[in-house]
Amino acid sequence: MQFEEQTACALKAVRPRIDQFRAALTVTYDQVRGMLSGTVDTEADRSEALGFFAKGKVNLERFNSFAPKPKLITAEAETPVRAAQEILKNLLAEGDKLFIIDTIPGRGLGHQLSVKLAHIGRAFAAARAVDLAKNGAYKEDKHAESLLRFPYATWNSSERALAPALVVNVSGADFKPSSIVPLLDTNMKIIFVVTGDAPAAALARVISPRVFVQQITGEPDLKAFTAYKGMAVAAFLPDTAVSFVHDPSAGSTTYERFVSITFPKEVRKRPIGGISPAQQAEDYTLLESLSVPPEIAGEAASDPAGKLSAWLLSQTNLADLSA
């Protein structure tokens, strides 16, 4: 699959998250426009503003709490409200480009994602500014800077729940996904399209109990990634990498959550973008250890009946049983 096809496939997989975020932007922009024109829209107007793609998919009540409530504004509040309107308008005009990152070599993967999220976060800063202006609490020296950049670290829980998905084009030499772990919260979804050579177990250190993680080396099947409700990370990688799916909904133990895994026949020892062969081997070993059932120890290891009973006990939750 060519690079352009992979990017298109990645966008399709995260389309529901993108559409949801754009629906929030549309609702907010239309309400702000209504304020400035002196009109007050209704819930029906807000529903219509969501557009056809969002009907049946978007929680209107949640978006109503995110969007500023229509209210006539004072002349003093008009300047920050117009500034907020312009930001929302420009973000909407970016289309899918708002959610795609073409990384610059050597700039740091985590840093570049943080910069993009700070740009996207201006939508939330604009909504906050409108509410502050309506209530006479907007202070230019205190709040204007947030309209220029609104870092992910300052987003509240409701804003993080509305976070859009990202598609990230990156070279294998710059693909160091452990740097994006601090950005994984609530519903964050990220797909990497990796070009060139890359570490075989690149996403090993992203794996955790509530994060869906997928490495793709062949024909992509991203249905489970798209359907997963929560944090999810996927990457298109060369066929020299491990192919696997770690699905938190598949089981309570780590190895159960690996619903599929295929290791390459051979792993070449070579440094990649400053990641040494020893570091790559460590990630590879970590992935192997996470994806296999635990070994049975003690006398049960040499006794078939003991192996069976040990396995049965490992599958049984005794926490709720009383003595």
Side-chain angles (χ1 to χ4, degrees), residues 146-318:
S146 68
L147 296 176
L148 301 177
R149 60 185 303 274
F150 195 61
Y152 186 71
T154 61
W155 298 14
N156 62 33
S157 58
S158 296
E159 291 161 349
R160 291 189 177 203
L162 283 170
L166 298 174
V167 174
V168 184
N169 298 318
V170 60
S171 70
D174 287 307
F175 188 44
K176 301 177 177 68
S178 59
S179 65
I180 62 100
V181 170
L183 304 176
L184 297 179
D185 189 16
T186 318
N187 295 321
M188 180 65 73
K189 287 191 173 185
I190 305 170
I191 297 187
F192 296 97
V193 179
V194 183
T195 55
D197 198 11
L203 290 179
R205 296 185 185 274
V206 177
I207 295 167
S208 62
R210 295 191 301 112
V211 180
F212 185 104
V213 184
Q214 182 173 2
Q215 286 193 179
I216 307 149
T217 60
E219 285 300 312
D221 182 357
L222 288 162
K223 294 186 183 68
F225 174 92
T226 302
Y228 184 71
K229 305 298 183 184
M231 298 167 283
V233 179
F236 287 92
L237 291 168
D239 57 12
T240 52
V242 183
S243 174
F244 71 84
V245 175
H246 170 268
D247 186 348
S249 63
S252 59
T253 59
T254 304
Y255 76 89
E256 288 177 314
R257 294 194 287 265
F258 279 89
V259 296
S260 70
I261 186 163
T262 302
F263 290 92
K265 295 180 180 179
E266 181 183 3
V267 178
R268 293 187 294 115
K269 294 182 179 180
R270 74 288 188 208
I272 301 175
I275 304 175
S276 71
Q279 290 173 307
Q280 295 174 56
E282 190 71 13
D283 288 345
Y284 194 92
T285 302
L286 173 62
L287 189 55
E288 285 182 316
S289 66
L290 291 174
S291 63
V292 298
E295 293 183 3
I296 301 169
E299 295 180 2
S302 58
D303 176 17
K307 289 182 179 180
L308 176 60
S309 62
W311 182 84
L312 289 171
L313 284 173
S314 73
Q315 303 302 305
T316 305
N317 184 1
L318 304 179

